[in-house]
Amino acid sequence: MQRHEAESKLLDTAEALFYERGIQAVGMAELRTASGVSLKRLYQCFASKDELVEAYLRRRDARWRASLSTYVARGDRSPEQAVLAVFDWLHDWFDEPGFRGCAFLNSFGELGGSSPAVAAAARDHKDELRRYLWKLVGELDAADPDELAEQLLVLVDGATTTAAVGGSPGPARSGRAAAAVLITAASRSAAPPCPE
């Protein structure tokens, strides 16, 4: 098996098992067996479990954000509809079989205190999501785009966690409704006039 094929199989297997059961619950021997990659090739591809975990998170981040941005970019949406489409995408994701919440928050909760690589991958994912939301918010007439993007990030993370714990996609709808209120409140035209 070529190295590229082995890496791909290992990352696919790691993503499925780590996301479903948690990082600490899955050992390298199980990953080797489930992926069909020899132990020697596994360690040629990833010198340690930490290295594999970081690669899994980095790849998941790229895929997750690409899926979100592709969904939001579909159709002819107004700037407000584009922001709200984030929550429509979340609803679809929350409703998928095997949804277990945010892989980055889950991983950070498991290993963030002991693994700088996991903490950095989780932080980078949230920073990239914040930048994406800020880009969407930049198309609105918001008085404080930075604050609105931060509020939307909190809504995304809150809806994701609540959906994972509750086992229902409903929090995406609640997050969408809250986002619509925040967008209206953040509009420059909704801001009170400055006193003279």
Side-chain angles (χ1 to χ4, degrees):
M1 182 181 305
Q2 297 298 319
R3 184 178 176 128
H4 178 70
E5 180 187 0
E7 283 181 5
S8 182
K9 283 186 174 204
L10 286 164
L11 287 170
D12 289 345
T13 304
E15 183 162 3
L17 294 176
F18 290 161
Y19 186 66
E20 179 184 352
R21 296 188 9 230
I23 294 166
Q24 295 181 61
V26 178
M28 292 298 267
E30 183 177 1
L31 286 165
R32 182 199 70 211
T33 301
S35 67
V37 174
S38 72
L39 188 62
K40 180 180 177 183
R41 179 59 88 183
L42 186 156
Y43 283 107
Q44 287 172 343
C45 295
F46 301 101
S48 67
K49 185 175 180 182
D50 285 346
E51 196 176 296
L52 176 60
V53 170
E54 183 179 9
Y56 142 68
L57 289 171
R58 299 288 180 186
R59 186 177 80 157
R60 184 171 178 97
D61 168 61
R63 288 177 168 184
W64 190 93
R65 288 185 300 106
S67 177
L68 171 61
S69 63
T70 298
Y71 180 93
V72 171
R74 282 196 318 220
D76 187 25
R77 293 187 164 107
S78 70
E80 181 175 346
Q81 289 170 335
V83 172
L84 297 178
V86 168
F87 294 89
D88 298 334
W89 181 85
L90 288 174
H91 184 276
D92 291 349
W93 176 45
F94 298 169
D95 206 28
E96 289 178 2
F99 170 72
R100 299 281 185 272
C102 176
F104 304 92
L105 293 177
N106 296 347
S107 299
F108 185 83
E110 270 195 87
L111 299 172
S114 61
S115 171
V118 167
R123 193 173 303 110
D124 290 347
H125 170 74
K126 295 305 174 186
D127 288 345
E128 288 300 322
L129 180 54
R130 182 183 293 105
R131 275 191 274 281
Y132 177 69
L133 293 169
W134 183 87
K135 180 182 150 201
L136 293 176
V137 166
E139 299 295 317
L140 299 171
D141 184 32
D144 188 347
D146 293 336
E147 181 63 20
L148 181 55
E150 191 66 31
Q151 291 167 342
L152 292 170
L153 179 61
V154 169
L155 283 178
V156 167
D157 283 342
T160 303
T161 302
T162 305
V165 171
S168 163
R173 297 290 182 237
S174 299
R176 188 184 200 280
V181 171
L182 288 172
I183 290 167
T184 299
S187 171
R188 289 182 201 274
S189 58
C194 296
E196 293 186 21

